[in-house]
Structure formats: C-alpha cells, structure tokens
mmCIF file of all heavy atoms in Angstrom:
data_model
loop_
_atom_site.group_PDB
_atom_site.id
_atom_site.type_symbol
_atom_site.label_atom_id
_atom_site.label_comp_id
_atom_site.label_asym_id
_atom_site.label_seq_id
_atom_site.Cartn_x
_atom_site.Cartn_y
_atom_site.Cartn_z
ATOM 1 N N ASP U 92 17.375 8.543 9.868
ATOM 2 C CA ASP U 92 17.135 9.437 11.081
ATOM 3 C C ASP U 92 16.328 10.677 10.773
ATOM 4 O O ASP U 92 15.484 11.132 11.505
ATOM 5 C CB ASP U 92 18.635 9.960 11.470
ATOM 6 C CG ASP U 92 19.429 8.928 12.224
ATOM 7 O OD1 ASP U 92 18.817 7.872 12.526
ATOM 8 O OD2 ASP U 92 20.679 9.168 12.270
ATOM 9 N N SER U 93 16.475 11.184 9.480
ATOM 10 C CA SER U 93 15.676 12.273 9.064
ATOM 11 C C SER U 93 14.145 11.929 8.988
ATOM 12 O O SER U 93 13.338 12.730 9.347
ATOM 13 C CB SER U 93 16.121 12.719 7.694
ATOM 14 O OG SER U 93 17.546 13.048 7.644
ATOM 15 N N THR U 94 13.884 10.763 8.598
ATOM 16 C CA THR U 94 12.367 10.307 8.527
ATOM 17 C C THR U 94 11.942 9.973 9.938
ATOM 18 O O THR U 94 10.766 10.361 10.214
ATOM 19 C CB THR U 94 12.273 9.171 7.538
ATOM 20 O OG1 THR U 94 13.062 9.380 6.355
ATOM 21 C CG2 THR U 94 10.794 8.789 7.289
ATOM 22 N N ARG U 95 12.682 9.282 10.669
ATOM 23 C CA ARG U 95 12.164 9.083 12.118
ATOM 24 C C ARG U 95 11.890 10.368 12.836
ATOM 25 O O ARG U 95 11.074 10.446 13.686
ATOM 26 C CB ARG U 95 13.240 8.268 12.729
ATOM 27 C CG ARG U 95 13.201 6.800 12.523
ATOM 28 C CD ARG U 95 14.204 6.020 13.407
ATOM 29 N NE ARG U 95 14.252 4.519 13.203
ATOM 30 C CZ ARG U 95 15.188 3.781 13.329
ATOM 31 N NH1 ARG U 95 16.367 4.262 13.563
ATOM 32 N NH2 ARG U 95 15.016 2.370 13.186
ATOM 33 N N ALA U 96 12.723 11.362 12.549
ATOM 34 C CA ALA U 96 12.495 12.605 13.252
ATOM 35 C C ALA U 96 11.155 13.280 13.115
ATOM 36 O O ALA U 96 10.800 14.054 14.025
ATOM 37 C CB ALA U 96 13.576 13.615 12.969
ATOM 38 N N VAL U 97 10.489 12.926 11.999
ATOM 39 C CA VAL U 97 9.188 13.588 11.663
ATOM 40 C C VAL U 97 8.056 12.604 11.786
ATOM 41 O O VAL U 97 6.940 12.998 11.540
ATOM 42 C CB VAL U 97 9.197 14.370 10.332
ATOM 43 C CG1 VAL U 97 10.298 15.386 10.426
ATOM 44 C CG2 VAL U 97 9.481 13.328 9.162
ATOM 45 N N ARG U 98 8.289 11.326 11.835
ATOM 46 C CA ARG U 98 7.145 10.391 11.555
ATOM 47 C C ARG U 98 6.000 10.380 12.601
ATOM 48 O O ARG U 98 4.947 9.907 12.265
ATOM 49 C CB ARG U 98 7.786 8.861 11.617
ATOM 50 C CG ARG U 98 8.116 8.347 12.810
ATOM 51 C CD ARG U 98 8.502 6.808 12.717
ATOM 52 N NE ARG U 98 7.373 6.142 12.209
ATOM 53 C CZ ARG U 98 7.425 4.751 11.931
ATOM 54 N NH1 ARG U 98 8.639 4.171 12.046
ATOM 55 N NH2 ARG U 98 6.406 4.143 11.402
ATOM 56 N N ASN U 99 6.288 10.952 13.726
ATOM 57 C CA ASN U 99 5.191 11.183 14.774
ATOM 58 C C ASN U 99 4.315 12.351 14.589
ATOM 59 O O ASN U 99 3.524 12.665 15.423
ATOM 60 C CB ASN U 99 5.849 11.018 16.179
ATOM 61 C CG ASN U 99 6.323 9.694 16.570
ATOM 62 O OD1 ASN U 99 5.866 8.612 16.049
ATOM 63 N ND2 ASN U 99 7.416 9.714 17.284
ATOM 64 N N ASP U 100 4.643 13.032 13.598
ATOM 65 C CA ASP U 100 3.788 14.324 13.271
ATOM 66 C C ASP U 100 2.339 13.925 13.047
ATOM 67 O O ASP U 100 2.107 12.922 12.298
ATOM 68 C CB ASP U 100 4.360 15.115 12.133
ATOM 69 C CG ASP U 100 3.750 16.417 11.908
ATOM 70 O OD1 ASP U 100 2.545 16.515 11.543
ATOM 71 O OD2 ASP U 100 4.458 17.555 12.155
ATOM 72 N N PRO U 101 1.410 14.655 13.618
ATOM 73 C CA PRO U 101 -0.060 14.337 13.448
ATOM 74 C C PRO U 101 -0.509 14.068 11.952
ATOM 75 O O PRO U 101 -1.305 13.413 11.602
ATOM 76 C CB PRO U 101 -0.772 15.257 14.201
ATOM 77 C CG PRO U 101 0.140 15.843 15.158
ATOM 78 C CD PRO U 101 1.535 15.725 14.536
ATOM 79 N N LYS U 102 0.169 14.989 11.075
ATOM 80 C CA LYS U 102 -0.096 14.874 9.672
ATOM 81 C C LYS U 102 0.132 13.536 9.039
ATOM 82 O O LYS U 102 -0.375 13.250 7.950
ATOM 83 C CB LYS U 102 0.623 16.043 8.954
ATOM 84 C CG LYS U 102 0.106 17.372 9.282
ATOM 85 C CD LYS U 102 0.923 18.411 8.495
ATOM 86 C CE LYS U 102 0.564 19.914 8.883
ATOM 87 N NZ LYS U 102 1.345 20.962 8.097
ATOM 88 N N LEU U 103 1.034 12.823 9.631
ATOM 89 C CA LEU U 103 1.471 11.474 9.142
ATOM 90 C C LEU U 103 0.799 10.376 9.805
ATOM 91 O O LEU U 103 1.396 9.222 9.746
ATOM 92 C CB LEU U 103 2.971 11.395 9.290
ATOM 93 C CG LEU U 103 3.880 12.484 8.574
ATOM 94 C CD1 LEU U 103 5.202 12.384 8.824
ATOM 95 C CD2 LEU U 103 3.628 12.420 7.072
ATOM 96 N N ALA U 104 -0.304 10.570 10.547
ATOM 97 C CA ALA U 104 -0.980 9.579 11.315
ATOM 98 C C ALA U 104 -1.501 8.522 10.542
ATOM 99 O O ALA U 104 -1.913 7.405 10.927
ATOM 100 C CB ALA U 104 -1.892 10.187 12.361
ATOM 101 N N ASP U 105 -1.788 8.597 9.165
ATOM 102 C CA ASP U 105 -2.468 7.693 8.352
ATOM 103 C C ASP U 105 -1.748 6.360 8.512
ATOM 104 O O ASP U 105 -0.580 6.349 8.260
ATOM 105 C CB ASP U 105 -2.475 8.246 6.957
ATOM 106 C CG ASP U 105 -3.124 7.175 5.899
ATOM 107 O OD1 ASP U 105 -4.383 7.073 6.100
ATOM 108 O OD2 ASP U 105 -2.424 6.607 5.191
ATOM 109 N N PRO U 106 -2.507 5.270 8.694
ATOM 110 C CA PRO U 106 -1.857 4.061 8.831
ATOM 111 C C PRO U 106 -1.073 3.532 7.719
ATOM 112 O O PRO U 106 0.090 2.915 7.809
ATOM 113 C CB PRO U 106 -2.983 2.971 9.103
ATOM 114 C CG PRO U 106 -4.039 3.926 9.697
ATOM 115 C CD PRO U 106 -3.999 5.304 8.973
ATOM 116 N N TYR U 107 -1.525 3.869 6.399
ATOM 117 C CA TYR U 107 -0.796 3.397 5.220
ATOM 118 C C TYR U 107 0.511 4.132 5.178
ATOM 119 O O TYR U 107 1.563 3.565 4.855
ATOM 120 C CB TYR U 107 -1.593 3.752 3.966
ATOM 121 C CG TYR U 107 -0.897 3.479 2.680
ATOM 122 C CD1 TYR U 107 -0.706 2.237 2.228
ATOM 123 C CD2 TYR U 107 -0.294 4.533 1.996
ATOM 124 C CE1 TYR U 107 -0.046 1.919 1.094
ATOM 125 C CE2 TYR U 107 0.450 4.294 0.845
ATOM 126 C CZ TYR U 107 0.629 2.932 0.399
ATOM 127 O OH TYR U 107 1.208 2.708 -0.732
ATOM 128 N N MET U 108 0.461 5.438 5.493
ATOM 129 C CA MET U 108 1.596 6.245 5.553
ATOM 130 C C MET U 108 2.654 5.770 6.538
ATOM 131 O O MET U 108 3.881 5.595 6.194
ATOM 132 C CB MET U 108 1.438 7.715 5.786
ATOM 133 C CG MET U 108 2.692 8.587 5.844
ATOM 134 S SD MET U 108 3.411 8.807 4.205
ATOM 135 C CE MET U 108 2.255 10.058 3.561
ATOM 136 N N GLN U 109 2.246 5.400 7.765
ATOM 137 C CA GLN U 109 3.047 4.824 8.737
ATOM 138 C C GLN U 109 3.590 3.454 8.246
ATOM 139 O O GLN U 109 4.831 3.234 8.596
ATOM 140 C CB GLN U 109 2.441 4.609 9.982
ATOM 141 C CG GLN U 109 2.038 5.980 10.698
ATOM 142 C CD GLN U 109 3.365 6.676 11.224
ATOM 143 O OE1 GLN U 109 4.221 6.010 11.693
ATOM 144 N NE2 GLN U 109 3.345 8.031 11.093
ATOM 145 N N LYS U 110 2.940 2.784 7.623
ATOM 146 C CA LYS U 110 3.361 1.392 7.141
ATOM 147 C C LYS U 110 4.427 1.615 6.119
ATOM 148 O O LYS U 110 5.451 0.895 6.073
ATOM 149 C CB LYS U 110 2.246 0.619 6.474
ATOM 150 C CG LYS U 110 2.622 -0.762 5.974
ATOM 151 C CD LYS U 110 1.459 -1.473 5.313
ATOM 152 C CE LYS U 110 1.891 -2.811 4.721
ATOM 153 N NZ LYS U 110 0.697 -3.521 4.063
ATOM 154 N N GLU U 111 4.279 2.562 5.151
ATOM 155 C CA GLU U 111 5.364 2.845 4.156
ATOM 156 C C GLU U 111 6.597 3.420 4.858
ATOM 157 O O GLU U 111 7.744 3.110 4.295
ATOM 158 C CB GLU U 111 4.780 3.786 3.079
ATOM 159 C CG GLU U 111 3.714 3.331 2.159
ATOM 160 C CD GLU U 111 4.255 2.252 1.278
ATOM 161 O OE1 GLU U 111 5.103 2.459 0.490
ATOM 162 O OE2 GLU U 111 3.782 1.138 1.570
ATOM 163 N N ILE U 112 6.441 4.308 5.865
ATOM 164 C CA ILE U 112 7.564 4.814 6.514
ATOM 165 C C ILE U 112 8.408 3.640 7.171
ATOM 166 O O ILE U 112 9.630 3.567 7.157
ATOM 167 C CB ILE U 112 7.238 5.835 7.536
ATOM 168 C CG1 ILE U 112 6.727 7.084 6.868
ATOM 169 C CG2 ILE U 112 8.416 6.234 8.497
ATOM 170 C CD1 ILE U 112 6.189 8.088 7.747
ATOM 171 N N SER U 113 7.733 2.708 7.747
ATOM 172 C CA SER U 113 8.321 1.617 8.524
ATOM 173 C C SER U 113 9.086 0.724 7.502
ATOM 174 O O SER U 113 10.236 0.278 7.726
ATOM 175 C CB SER U 113 7.321 0.749 9.247
ATOM 176 O OG SER U 113 6.714 1.493 10.329
ATOM 177 N N ALA U 114 8.468 0.444 6.280
ATOM 178 C CA ALA U 114 9.145 -0.323 5.250
ATOM 179 C C ALA U 114 10.228 0.326 4.699
ATOM 180 O O ALA U 114 11.387 -0.300 4.474
ATOM 181 C CB ALA U 114 8.052 -0.685 4.119
ATOM 182 N N PHE U 115 10.233 1.688 4.510
ATOM 183 C CA PHE U 115 11.408 2.428 4.031
ATOM 184 C C PHE U 115 12.527 2.247 5.052
ATOM 185 O O PHE U 115 13.696 2.040 4.689
ATOM 186 C CB PHE U 115 10.903 3.956 3.965
ATOM 187 C CG PHE U 115 12.169 4.860 3.614
ATOM 188 C CD1 PHE U 115 12.716 4.993 2.538
ATOM 189 C CD2 PHE U 115 12.607 5.652 4.877
ATOM 190 C CE1 PHE U 115 13.775 5.918 2.389
ATOM 191 C CE2 PHE U 115 13.622 6.476 4.628
ATOM 192 C CZ PHE U 115 14.256 6.583 3.434
ATOM 193 N N ILE U 116 12.264 2.495 6.405
ATOM 194 C CA ILE U 116 13.352 2.549 7.316
ATOM 195 C C ILE U 116 13.975 1.094 7.419
ATOM 196 O O ILE U 116 15.175 0.989 7.437
ATOM 197 C CB ILE U 116 12.694 2.959 8.689
ATOM 198 C CG1 ILE U 116 12.390 4.450 8.763
ATOM 199 C CG2 ILE U 116 13.705 2.519 9.848
ATOM 200 C CD1 ILE U 116 11.619 4.863 10.070
ATOM 201 N N GLY U 117 13.192 0.067 7.290
ATOM 202 C CA GLY U 117 13.581 -1.242 7.329
ATOM 203 C C GLY U 117 14.540 -1.584 6.054
ATOM 204 O O GLY U 117 15.686 -2.218 6.301
ATOM 205 N N GLN U 118 14.103 -1.213 4.947
ATOM 206 C CA GLN U 118 14.957 -1.354 3.724
ATOM 207 C C GLN U 118 16.243 -0.671 3.770
ATOM 208 O O GLN U 118 17.352 -1.229 3.424
ATOM 209 C CB GLN U 118 14.110 -1.045 2.575
ATOM 210 C CG GLN U 118 12.962 -2.087 2.219
ATOM 211 C CD GLN U 118 12.355 -1.746 0.943
ATOM 212 O OE1 GLN U 118 12.089 -0.627 0.501
ATOM 213 N NE2 GLN U 118 11.862 -2.786 0.211
ATOM 214 N N GLU U 119 16.150 0.566 4.077
ATOM 215 C CA GLU U 119 17.429 1.411 4.305
ATOM 216 C C GLU U 119 18.453 0.859 5.298
ATOM 217 O O GLU U 119 19.660 0.776 5.086
ATOM 218 C CB GLU U 119 17.079 2.917 4.494
ATOM 219 C CG GLU U 119 16.428 3.625 3.386
ATOM 220 C CD GLU U 119 17.146 3.861 2.223
ATOM 221 O OE1 GLU U 119 17.623 2.837 1.640
ATOM 222 O OE2 GLU U 119 17.312 4.958 1.746
ATOM 223 N N ALA U 120 17.823 0.404 6.394
ATOM 224 C CA ALA U 120 18.790 -0.146 7.321
ATOM 225 C C ALA U 120 19.431 -1.400 6.864
ATOM 226 O O ALA U 120 20.691 -1.666 7.134
ATOM 227 C CB ALA U 120 17.933 -0.433 8.687
ATOM 228 N N MET U 121 18.706 -2.268 6.197
ATOM 229 C CA MET U 121 19.286 -3.445 5.598
ATOM 230 C C MET U 121 20.342 -3.129 4.530
ATOM 231 O O MET U 121 21.332 -3.730 4.314
ATOM 232 C CB MET U 121 18.216 -4.277 4.941
ATOM 233 C CG MET U 121 18.769 -5.685 4.544
ATOM 234 S SD MET U 121 19.445 -6.600 5.898
ATOM 235 C CE MET U 121 17.950 -6.978 6.871
ATOM 236 N N HIS U 122 20.031 -2.063 3.643
ATOM 237 C CA HIS U 122 21.099 -1.540 2.691
ATOM 238 C C HIS U 122 22.316 -1.183 3.319
ATOM 239 O O HIS U 122 23.472 -1.584 2.824
ATOM 240 C CB HIS U 122 20.535 -0.504 1.786
ATOM 241 C CG HIS U 122 19.302 -0.741 1.150
ATOM 242 N ND1 HIS U 122 18.515 0.265 0.562
ATOM 243 C CD2 HIS U 122 18.716 -1.875 0.782
ATOM 244 C CE1 HIS U 122 17.431 -0.341 -0.078
ATOM 245 N NE2 HIS U 122 17.556 -1.587 0.119
ATOM 246 N N SER U 123 22.294 -0.386 4.398
ATOM 247 C CA SER U 123 23.405 -0.072 5.064
ATOM 248 C C SER U 123 24.266 -1.157 5.616
ATOM 249 O O SER U 123 25.438 -1.207 5.462
ATOM 250 C CB SER U 123 22.985 0.922 6.220
ATOM 251 O OG SER U 123 24.164 1.394 7.027
ATOM 252 N N LYS U 124 23.512 -2.136 6.173
ATOM 253 C CA LYS U 124 24.169 -3.333 6.677
ATOM 254 C C LYS U 124 24.986 -4.103 5.650
ATOM 255 O O LYS U 124 26.182 -4.441 5.862
ATOM 256 C CB LYS U 124 23.117 -4.254 7.374
ATOM 257 C CG LYS U 124 23.670 -5.604 7.741
ATOM 258 C CD LYS U 124 22.476 -6.443 8.269
ATOM 259 C CE LYS U 124 22.900 -7.951 8.673
ATOM 260 N NZ LYS U 124 23.321 -8.756 7.294
ATOM 261 N N GLU U 125 24.336 -4.374 4.551
ATOM 262 C CA GLU U 125 25.053 -5.082 3.489
ATOM 263 C C GLU U 125 26.197 -4.333 2.918
ATOM 264 O O GLU U 125 27.207 -4.832 2.562
ATOM 265 C CB GLU U 125 24.108 -5.492 2.484
ATOM 266 C CG GLU U 125 22.883 -6.426 2.967
ATOM 267 C CD GLU U 125 23.440 -7.681 3.559
ATOM 268 O OE1 GLU U 125 24.642 -8.155 3.290
ATOM 269 O OE2 GLU U 125 22.684 -8.455 4.323
ATOM 270 N N HIS U 126 26.086 -3.043 2.703
ATOM 271 C CA HIS U 126 27.107 -2.255 2.142
ATOM 272 C C HIS U 126 28.318 -2.148 3.144
ATOM 273 O O HIS U 126 29.469 -2.027 2.729
ATOM 274 C CB HIS U 126 26.779 -0.896 1.601
ATOM 275 C CG HIS U 126 26.126 -1.000 0.349
ATOM 276 N ND1 HIS U 126 26.782 -1.005 -0.830
ATOM 277 C CD2 HIS U 126 24.706 -1.090 0.005
ATOM 278 C CE1 HIS U 126 25.898 -1.149 -1.841
ATOM 279 N NE2 HIS U 126 24.713 -1.123 -1.450
ATOM 280 N N VAL U 127 28.047 -2.121 4.431
ATOM 281 C CA VAL U 127 29.085 -2.148 5.421
ATOM 282 C C VAL U 127 29.889 -3.507 5.267
ATOM 283 O O VAL U 127 31.122 -3.462 5.324
ATOM 284 C CB VAL U 127 28.502 -2.105 6.880
ATOM 285 C CG1 VAL U 127 29.601 -2.461 7.857
ATOM 286 C CG2 VAL U 127 28.104 -0.620 7.182
ATOM 287 N N GLY U 128 29.221 -4.538 4.991
ATOM 288 C CA GLY U 128 29.794 -5.883 4.810
ATOM 289 C C GLY U 128 30.673 -5.926 3.646
ATOM 290 O O GLY U 128 31.811 -6.376 3.683
ATOM 291 N N PHE U 129 30.252 -5.299 2.490
ATOM 292 C CA PHE U 129 31.067 -5.329 1.323
ATOM 293 C C PHE U 129 32.270 -4.377 1.458
ATOM 294 O O PHE U 129 33.366 -4.675 1.104
ATOM 295 C CB PHE U 129 30.277 -4.834 0.099
ATOM 296 C CG PHE U 129 31.190 -4.351 -0.936
ATOM 297 C CD1 PHE U 129 32.036 -5.117 -1.551
ATOM 298 C CD2 PHE U 129 31.259 -2.968 -1.319
ATOM 299 C CE1 PHE U 129 32.944 -4.757 -2.554
ATOM 300 C CE2 PHE U 129 32.063 -2.520 -2.365
ATOM 301 C CZ PHE U 129 32.922 -3.396 -2.975
ATOM 302 N N ASN U 130 32.005 -3.169 2.226
ATOM 303 C CA ASN U 130 33.080 -2.260 2.386
ATOM 304 C C ASN U 130 34.220 -2.835 3.269
ATOM 305 O O ASN U 130 35.418 -2.552 3.028
ATOM 306 C CB ASN U 130 32.532 -1.032 3.010
ATOM 307 C CG ASN U 130 31.641 -0.216 2.076
ATOM 308 O OD1 ASN U 130 31.599 -0.508 0.937
ATOM 309 N ND2 ASN U 130 30.862 0.812 2.741
ATOM 310 N N GLN U 131 33.863 -3.731 4.207
ATOM 311 C CA GLN U 131 34.764 -4.357 5.003
ATOM 312 C C GLN U 131 35.681 -5.275 4.213
ATOM 313 O O GLN U 131 36.809 -5.490 4.360
ATOM 314 C CB GLN U 131 34.152 -5.104 6.117
ATOM 315 C CG GLN U 131 33.588 -4.193 7.263
ATOM 316 C CD GLN U 131 32.793 -4.979 8.295
ATOM 317 O OE1 GLN U 131 32.350 -6.090 8.132
ATOM 318 N NE2 GLN U 131 32.505 -4.318 9.473
ATOM 319 N N SER U 132 35.023 -5.993 3.150
ATOM 320 C CA SER U 132 35.719 -6.870 2.300
ATOM 321 C C SER U 132 36.700 -6.158 1.428
ATOM 322 O O SER U 132 37.810 -6.643 1.139
ATOM 323 C CB SER U 132 34.833 -7.690 1.430
ATOM 324 O OG SER U 132 34.282 -6.966 0.432
ATOM 325 N N ALA U 133 36.262 -4.893 1.065
ATOM 326 C CA ALA U 133 37.231 -4.086 0.254
ATOM 327 C C ALA U 133 38.388 -3.526 1.131
ATOM 328 O O ALA U 133 39.573 -3.422 0.681
ATOM 329 C CB ALA U 133 36.637 -2.787 -0.273
ATOM 330 N N ASN U 134 38.244 -3.259 2.372
ATOM 331 C CA ASN U 134 39.375 -2.974 3.359
ATOM 332 C C ASN U 134 40.254 -4.118 3.407
ATOM 333 O O ASN U 134 41.447 -3.868 3.647
ATOM 334 C CB ASN U 134 38.680 -2.758 4.725
ATOM 335 C CG ASN U 134 38.261 -1.298 4.835
ATOM 336 O OD1 ASN U 134 39.002 -0.400 4.732
ATOM 337 N ND2 ASN U 134 36.954 -0.926 5.128
ATOM 338 N N PHE U 135 39.838 -5.427 3.321
ATOM 339 C CA PHE U 135 40.691 -6.521 3.347
ATOM 340 C C PHE U 135 41.732 -6.417 2.293
ATOM 341 O O PHE U 135 42.873 -6.925 2.471
ATOM 342 C CB PHE U 135 39.890 -7.733 3.259
ATOM 343 C CG PHE U 135 40.704 -9.031 3.199
ATOM 344 C CD1 PHE U 135 41.191 -9.581 4.402
ATOM 345 C CD2 PHE U 135 40.997 -9.650 1.979
ATOM 346 C CE1 PHE U 135 41.916 -10.781 4.271
ATOM 347 C CE2 PHE U 135 41.621 -10.831 1.921
ATOM 348 C CZ PHE U 135 42.208 -11.423 3.122
ATOM 349 N N TYR U 136 41.444 -5.946 1.156
ATOM 350 C CA TYR U 136 42.476 -5.833 0.027
ATOM 351 C C TYR U 136 43.265 -4.513 0.203
ATOM 352 O O TYR U 136 44.177 -4.227 -0.732
ATOM 353 C CB TYR U 136 41.790 -5.824 -1.305
ATOM 354 C CG TYR U 136 41.067 -6.980 -1.697
ATOM 355 C CD1 TYR U 136 39.645 -7.281 -1.702
ATOM 356 C CD2 TYR U 136 41.846 -8.178 -2.032
ATOM 357 C CE1 TYR U 136 39.181 -8.387 -1.944
ATOM 358 C CE2 TYR U 136 41.317 -9.378 -2.396
ATOM 359 C CZ TYR U 136 39.900 -9.522 -2.423
ATOM 360 O OH TYR U 136 39.279 -10.770 -2.739
#
C-alpha cells in the first residue's frame, strides 16, 4: 500500500523503475498469501 500510494509520482515514471515496483508488489503479495496459508495451519493446532 505504501509503495502503490506513490508509484504514480512523475519522478517515478521511468519504465525500469515502474517494472521494479510492479515486481516488488507482486512478490510481496505472494509472500503474504503463502504466510496466511501457513498461519492458518498453525491455527489448526
């Protein structure tokens, strides 16, 4: 959320920077998803 809030700033318009931001957001979203899955398994115990 913090990174999305600023990504449309004109200073960040460089395509490489935008590509890196997109990759970062995608990876972090996937990390959250997998840790939610593990945390649910710990709740099971």
Side-chain angles (χ1 to χ4, degrees):
D92 290 345
S93 300
T94 308
R95 277 182 174 151
V97 299
R98 75 172 301 176
N99 292 326
D100 190 291
K102 293 180 182 178
L103 301 172
D105 177 72
Y107 176 79
M108 179 69 79
Q109 286 294 319
K110 180 181 178 181
E111 290 296 292
I112 291 172
S113 293
F115 166 79
I116 289 173
Q118 287 184 327
E119 292 291 56
M121 188 60 70
H122 299 166
S123 180
K124 170 183 174 293
E125 297 300 342
H126 279 278
V127 165
F129 162 65
N130 293 347
Q131 288 174 344
S132 74
N134 275 302
F135 175 79
Y136 290 109

